[in-house]
Amino acid sequence: MERCYNLQTCAANSSLEQDIRLCAAAGFSSVEIDFQKARDYLQEHTLQDLSRLMQAHRMRCASINAIFSINFCTEQQWEDVCAQLDFACDLGEATSADRVIVLSNERADLPAGVTDEAIFTDTLQALHRLADRGKARGMKIAFEPVGTMAIGDIGTAWRLVQAADRPEVGLVIDDFNLYLWDVGADFDVIRGIAPEKVFMVHLNDAEKIPFARLDQNHRCMPGDGRIDVRRYMECVRACGYDGPVSVEVLNSEIWAKGPETVIPEAYEKMGEFVD
């Protein structure tokens, strides 16, 4: 497996250029680039500059992230989703990234009374439309379930990918997001997923606070929290996956340490769980 770093891990107080440099120094060989840091970088640089930056540090871009809220879109909302996909394709061509992470809507934002069957059907249609658009530019669609979103569990997400039945659509597996669904009870489902359909694995932990209080800001470094990270990674290995494993810690207190501290710490913390 390959240790990867998600640039959102120091979202508030670092830049794309600084992150790439520090990741290379720490030992990371790949990163996930988020839209906001890419846009900030491109205020004063070009896509060609980004390509040269990645090459200079021998850094691979494992994914672009992320497109949110793909369900039950109005015409204007769908145009916005497509514009994000097109931007991901631009970034992909500059960095050789071939997948973009996509997520469903928060359940609280869904139409009143919508059924799980309708959610499944609408999400499947959206994935097909995105895959059709991305295919022409070599961009795959990596769908990520989140416990608080319309598609919250790994079992349903896997059924979606199976129903899509196309090489451009796969899964993102994130232990924190799955923990939000059922406290990690469905980690074992990962064992039965075809490894070629796992497009990205995220590795995090959850702060040791009451479950009801957990949200995305309570992620922490792997091994520092309450998730059984070792069992999670055992399940990932058991399915046969051997690709990038990315740390994605969306925690403002951790961001405050600064990237010079956080990036080497992330590389070291991952080492206990990633070969």
Side-chain angles (χ1 to χ4, degrees):
M1 293 183 181
E2 175 187 12
R3 292 186 224 184
C4 180
Y5 179 83
N6 188 304
L7 300 195
Q8 293 183 93
T9 299
C10 264
N13 62 351
S14 184
S15 67
L16 184 151
E17 191 167 4
Q18 184 180 28
D19 282 350
I20 298 300
R21 176 175 55 80
L22 291 171
C23 281
F28 286 104
S29 55
S30 64
V31 295
E32 295 182 279
I33 295 178
D34 65 281
F35 285 139
Q36 189 56 55
K37 279 195 174 173
R39 290 190 182 99
D40 291 345
Y41 178 82
L42 293 171
Q43 290 294 312
E44 298 181 358
H45 300 84
T46 66
L47 287 168
Q48 291 74 24
D49 292 333
L50 176 57
S51 179
R52 285 191 287 267
L53 175 68
M54 298 290 285
Q55 292 174 17
H57 292 283
R58 299 181 180 178
M59 190 64 60
R60 188 175 72 87
C61 183
S63 83
I64 309 296
N65 63 102
I67 300 173
F68 291 85
S69 301
I70 64 171
N71 294 102
F72 304 104
C73 292
T74 64
E75 183 176 344
Q76 182 58 58
Q77 288 170 335
W78 188 253
E79 287 182 8
D80 292 343
V81 166
C82 290
Q84 292 179 72
L85 175 57
D86 292 345
F87 182 46
C89 291
D90 293 340
L91 294 173
E93 289 172 357
T95 64
S96 299
D98 67 350
R99 59 205 63 193
V100 59
I101 295 177
V102 171
L103 303 95
S104 55
N105 298 47
E106 289 287 347
R107 278 198 167 264
D109 298 331
L110 293 173
V114 68
T115 64
D116 287 343
E117 181 179 1
I119 292 169
F120 188 96
T121 299
D122 181 79
T123 307
L124 181 60
Q125 291 173 347
L127 292 177
H128 274 301
R129 293 173 72 186
L130 290 170
D132 287 343
R133 189 179 186 94
K135 182 178 180 180
R137 298 183 65 184
M139 185 60 66
K140 297 178 181 179
I141 306 303
F143 182 73
E144 181 172 6
V146 179
T148 58
M149 291 187 176
I151 305 295
D153 66 291
I154 189 64
T156 302
W158 175 222
R159 288 193 294 275
L160 264 173
V161 169
Q162 289 176 298
D165 192 24
R166 54 190 299 170
E168 303 86 13
V169 177
L171 284 171
V172 179
I173 302 174
D174 183 305
D175 55 349
F176 185 90
N177 288 335
L178 300 184
Y179 191 82
L180 287 179
W181 175 259
D182 64 356
V183 200
D186 63 354
F187 282 173
D188 285 333
V189 174
I190 299 169
R191 295 175 180 271
I193 296 174
E196 68 273 11
K197 303 306 291 184
V198 181
F199 284 2
M200 176 58 68
V201 169
H202 288 161
L203 179 64
N204 314 278
D205 214 327
E207 291 182 343
K208 296 176 182 178
I209 62 175
F211 180 78
R213 288 175 50 201
L214 283 177
D215 62 25
Q216 296 291 341
N217 192 54
H218 295 119
R219 291 174 180 243
C220 60
M221 291 292 179
D224 287 353
R226 56 186 291 171
I227 298 177
D228 189 349
V229 176
R230 195 169 303 281
R231 182 171 75 88
Y232 167 71
M233 288 304 299
E234 287 173 356
C235 294
V236 170
R237 287 189 184 88
C239 87
Y241 179 79
D242 192 32
V245 177
S246 183
V247 62
E248 184 190 30
V249 179
L250 313 177
N251 185 317
S252 56
E253 292 185 2
I254 290 177
W255 296 347
K257 295 180 182 180
E260 297 88 351
T261 298
V262 170
I263 290 174
E265 179 184 355
Y267 187 84
E268 181 181 353
K269 294 281 187 180
M270 295 180 75
E272 183 178 350
F273 307 101
V274 179
D275 298 331

